Amino acid sequence: MGKYENINLEKGMYKIGGKSFSQVLEEFDPSENYCDTPLEGMDAFQRQLKRFDIKVSGKGADVVEKFFQTTSSAALFPEYICRAVKTGMEFENVLPSICAGTTMIDSMDYRSIASTPTDDEKSLADVAEGAVIPETVIHTQENLIKLRKRGRMLVSSYEALKFQSLDLFTVTLKQIGAYIGKMLLNDAVNVLVNGDGNNNAADVVNGTSELSYADLLDLWTSLAPYKLNTIIAPTGMVKSLLSLTEMKDSNAGLNFHATGELITPLGAKLIHVPDMTADKIIGLNSNYALEMVQAGDVITEYDKLIDRQLERASISCIAGFAKVFKDASKILSY
């Protein structure tokens, strides 16, 4: 009998500071102990699902009631919800494409760092023998980064869901995750345009009366010495980009029609954000422009999910965004 079958599961495992339920499980039952066994490739949570014979997806998926057959198996339900929501958040998630990095914190207060190099500091000129090496100053920002709580309230009685397939319930949870991911993307775009409260809104490049190839070249050159590698645009601007004569070459058209992958104007990845202001395009170097700050993981109200068998439970994520280098993003505006 494996060790995973003897672990005492209880809701207190969700209350250990700085650790998720899965991380706590892994400490009790390390996955490395299962190398060269039939359970290799499973993590600690998946082994608990096996222990209680709970199948959450695919042919023959169990119903929600299966989680609540015992007190121990009920303790797995909040983690199942977290994983399903995170899967929805990660589906077509473009945040990694626009964020230079992600910082995890254990509080609601975060002050980012910044460096504002002058033109001389960017040039890195030769230093004569015995001369002082020029300095680049890194400092903390004056104002705290604003973190927002994004989430949904899951409202249902246990009786309404007890006979529902977990496979179908997972789809609903993934949709909640997709909604949260969409709002996080909108928050990121807002910070890129307006800054994070530290006087670092993006500089504006004024376009002509309508989008032209020359405007794109102006955006490209304005970012120097940063390389334009990402363009974020609303629906109307994406249509205009796709309609430019310079973007209609046979190779670009073939790829778009065959795969649905958008063109890459001037070598930049094009990201469609429908909720973005209609008369703007954001150009940035994703390696230097934005930092994502996240306070913990996806959060569920585990007491209600376990003790009261669902009824009302919140699913949320607390995150914010900070500008790294102000000049690494510019706005093409009309």
Side-chain angles (χ1 to χ4, degrees):
M1 183 178 291
K3 182 178 180 181
Y4 73 97
E5 296 179 302
N6 298 314
I7 296 175
N8 181 30
L9 301 175
E10 44 93 21
K11 65 182 182 183
M13 296 171 73
Y14 288 93
K15 299 179 181 179
I16 299 177
K19 295 180 181 178
S20 67
F21 181 80
S22 288
Q23 289 172 328
V24 174
L25 270 182
E26 283 289 344
E27 291 182 357
F28 284 113
D29 182 36
S31 294
E32 61 191 31
N33 295 339
Y34 294 87
C35 293
D36 300 322
T37 73
L39 300 180
E40 184 177 11
M42 291 185 179
D43 63 23
F45 176 73
Q46 291 169 328
R47 288 190 290 275
Q48 291 303 311
L49 293 180
K50 178 177 176 60
R51 169 187 175 184
F52 293 101
D53 192 28
I54 300 173
K55 189 174 182 181
V56 298
S57 62
K59 185 178 180 180
D62 289 308
V63 295
V64 172
E65 184 182 33
K66 191 70 175 286
F67 272 105
F68 296 95
Q69 289 187 337
T70 69
T71 303
S72 292
S73 60
L76 298 172
F77 193 56
E79 179 64 15
Y80 151 72
I81 287 182
C82 281
R83 291 192 175 209
V85 170
K86 283 192 287 187
T87 299
M89 291 175 64
E90 292 166 1
F91 184 67
E92 295 187 359
N93 180 21
V94 299
L95 286 175
S97 299
I98 65 175
C99 293
T102 300
T103 301
M104 301 294 292
I105 61 174
D106 293 325
S107 69
M108 290 299 294
D109 295 332
Y110 179 76
R111 199 182 300 273
S112 185
I113 61 173
S115 173
T116 309
T118 64
D119 290 338
D120 289 340
E121 289 172 338
K122 292 177 182 178
S123 66
L124 296 181
D126 291 340
V127 178
E129 183 177 351
V132 176
I133 297 177
E135 297 177 343
T136 294
V137 178
I138 298 175
H139 58 88
T140 55
Q141 294 281 30
E142 180 180 354
N143 296 314
L144 295 172
I145 299 305
K146 186 174 183 179
L147 302 182
R148 298 178 183 270
K149 185 174 184 178
R150 299 295 191 185
R152 289 273 173 154
M153 182 68 72
L154 190 63
V155 182
S156 177
S157 67
Y158 170 62
E159 287 73 22
L161 285 176
K162 62 185 294 186
F163 298 122
Q164 287 297 321
S165 166
L166 285 168
D167 207 4
L168 181 60
F169 188 43
T170 299
V171 173
T172 302
L173 295 172
K174 286 180 179 178
Q175 185 184 48
I176 292 174
Y179 288 150
I180 295 174
K182 177 183 177 182
M183 294 309 300
L184 289 175
L185 177 58
N186 290 341
D187 289 342
V189 168
N190 180 62
V191 170
L192 283 171
V193 174
N194 300 310
D196 56 23
N198 287 287
N199 194 30
N200 52 8
D203 293 333
V204 175
V205 177
N206 291 316
T208 55
S209 59
E210 60 183 27
L211 182 65
S212 67
Y213 190 69
D215 291 338
L216 288 180
L217 293 178
D218 288 341
L219 180 63
W220 181 81
T221 55
S222 70
L223 272 173
Y226 298 103
K227 179 182 178 181
L228 175 67
N229 63 13
T230 306
I231 291 176
I232 304 174
T235 302
M237 287 299 187
V238 169
K239 290 181 179 179
S240 296
L241 272 169
L242 293 173
S243 300
L244 289 176
T245 302
E246 292 82 359
M247 302 299 166
K248 291 181 177 180
D249 66 89
S250 58
N251 289 332
L254 269 172
N255 186 55
F256 180 58
H257 290 303
T259 67
E261 291 293 327
L262 292 175
I263 58 174
T264 53
L266 306 180
K269 180 176 182 178
L270 178 58
I271 296 175
H272 176 210
V273 180
D275 294 336
M276 187 176 157
T277 303
D279 58 352
K280 289 181 173 64
I281 286 178
I282 303 174
L284 67 145
N285 186 306
S286 59
N287 298 317
Y288 301 100
L290 197 65
E291 172 191 14
M292 182 175 181
V293 183
Q294 192 168 338
D297 211 333
V298 174
I299 303 168
T300 59
E301 291 187 1
Y302 43 80
D303 285 329
K304 290 183 179 180
L305 287 172
I306 295 172
D307 297 340
R308 298 173 61 183
Q309 297 183 332
L310 203 62
E311 293 192 3
R312 292 176 63 89
S314 66
I315 303 167
S316 60
C317 176
I318 301 174
F321 298 88
K323 278 287 194 72
V324 183
F325 289 99
K326 176 180 179 294
D327 293 338
S329 62
K330 296 289 177 70
I331 306 300
L332 178 60
S333 182
Y334 292 85

